[in-house]
Amino acid sequence: MELLGKTALITGSTSGIGYSIASKLAAKGADIFLNSFTDTPGDRRLATDLSQKHSVSAKYISADLRIASQARSLVTQTKHIDILVNNAGIQHVSSIEALPLEKWDDMIAIMLSAVFHTTAIALPMMRKAKWGRIINISSAHGLVASPQKAAYVAAKHGVIGLTKVAALETAEEPITVNAVCPGFTETPLLEKQIPTLMKQYSMTKKELIDNILMERQPSKKFVTSEQISGLVQFLCSKDADQITGSAISIDGGWTAL
Ligand code: NAD
């Protein structure tokens, strides 16, 4: 229960990697704030489930991270957090010239600007408590590019730059700021891309996974949400006190290629 007494906010945590991170931190004793923009009874039920399963406080806060004021107010509403995991993300697969302007704006807002907003509000809370962890879920696409993913790749590269600046601004304080860069992980975000990619490559789902996705990932295996949350948990531990400003790959060798 190494996180007993700590409070964590995980953005975009009603699904996939975010919910797995919330569950892992709750299992280690952290109180949890879940977030998404959907605000359904199911979202609130996820918080109740976490609270009952791990005997921690778990609350859901709705905030649409496309909107700067909502990203800032999300953190303000918590009153205090020790751990901020910027995880919310979306994807849209298209060439640069076909990418709708509003998709570009939404993706940059959710995966880059919102990270700036939540960090700006959370840092004074962490300084006051004299401890803090900020973990930004970037991607292998924060380190290398793929075609058809302009906004995603730009936002994920950008968030690594922001991570480094925040790490330098807090380097002498007991606060660390790191980015985690996963490879392909089976979640709704990836599932939604499959039909477009199947059409683009004229392949079945299995052919697409074997020949295109796993072509990028030398281990030939998906990363699991559980493995990513294990890395996040490690970054919250005392052993990780001197890890700051890093972009840590968890991608089956993708970025070693
Ligand atoms: P997911 O679709 O399962 O979850 C995304 C979460 O973000 C959901 O809770 C959703 O409600 C939330 N969200 C979306 N738009 C939002 C908005 N406007 N405001 C607030 N919340 C919003 O996706 P996932 O695969 O678990 O992705 C989580 C993170 O991991 C993302 O940043 C993604 O880019 C990153 N990532 C995923 C993969 C992968 O292969 N799945 C690989 C590398 C990085």
Side-chain angles (χ1 to χ4, degrees):
M1 298 300 270
E2 60 183 337
L3 297 177
L4 208 60
K6 306 287 190 211
T7 300
L9 164 65
I10 304 97
T11 70
S13 45
T14 54
S15 163
I17 296 166
Y19 189 69
S20 175
I21 294 170
S23 307
K24 179 72 88 183
L25 300 185
K28 293 291 160 188
D31 292 328
I32 301 293
F33 285 102
L34 294 179
N35 153 259
S36 72
F37 67 118
T38 40
D39 204 10
T40 64
D43 293 332
R44 284 181 286 280
R45 207 171 313 117
L46 288 175
T48 313
D49 289 350
L50 273 189
S51 169
Q52 286 172 352
K53 185 163 178 209
H54 300 291
S55 305
V56 296
S57 158
K59 299 194 175 92
Y60 170 81
I61 305 177
S62 177
D64 186 340
L65 298 178
R66 288 172 293 192
I67 301 162
S69 58
Q70 292 198 26
R72 286 178 174 253
S73 132
L74 166 63
V75 186
T76 310
Q77 284 177 64
T78 66
K79 307 266 196 291
H80 174 77
I81 50 169
D82 306 284
I83 300 165
L84 168 64
V85 184
N86 285 300
N87 168 78
I90 57 169
Q91 179 61 283
H92 183 85
V93 181
S94 112
S95 66
I96 293 175
E97 53 289 20
L99 181 62
L101 175 59
E102 58 277 17
K103 285 283 177 201
W104 170 272
D105 286 345
D106 286 355
M107 291 169 82
I108 299 294
I110 295 168
M111 295 184 288
L112 181 56
S113 303
V115 179
F116 160 67
H117 297 306
T118 55
T119 301
I121 305 298
L123 273 178
M125 296 174 173
M126 294 175 180
R127 288 197 161 114
K128 202 167 158 203
K130 297 192 174 13
W131 193 89
R133 294 285 193 258
I134 299 178
I135 298 152
N136 298 324
I137 307 302
S138 177
S139 168
H141 280 122
L143 299 166
V144 295
S146 294
Q148 315 277 333
K149 296 190 174 177
Y152 190 82
V153 169
K156 295 298 189 183
H157 273 68
V159 86
I160 291 178
L162 178 58
T163 300
K164 290 177 183 174
V165 174
L168 292 178
E169 290 186 8
T170 54
E172 292 184 32
E173 302 171 75
I175 296 171
T176 67
V177 188
N178 290 290
V180 167
C181 302
F184 289 121
T185 311
E186 281 184 295
T187 68
L189 182 140
L190 184 66
E191 274 299 322
K192 282 181 216 151
Q193 296 170 55
I194 301 270
T196 315
L197 292 169
M198 281 167 61
K199 211 161 127 197
Q200 187 185 325
Y201 290 99
S202 304
M203 286 180 179
T204 63
K205 185 174 174 184
K206 185 174 180 325
E207 285 167 345
L208 181 79
I209 291 173
D210 291 348
N211 300 309
I212 304 296
L213 302 189
M214 290 307 136
E215 177 73 13
R216 307 298 300 269
Q217 213 147 284
S219 66
K220 307 286 179 213
K221 289 186 191 77
F222 283 109
V223 181
T224 67
S225 296
E226 176 70 19
Q227 289 161 347
I228 298 167
S229 39
L231 176 54
V232 169
Q233 179 206 325
F234 171 71
L235 288 172
C236 292
S237 73
K238 193 157 175 34
D239 284 346
D241 270 356
Q242 282 304 310
I243 304 177
T244 196
S246 296
I248 303 171
S249 291
I250 173 164
D251 65 4
W254 176 337
T255 50
L257 275 174

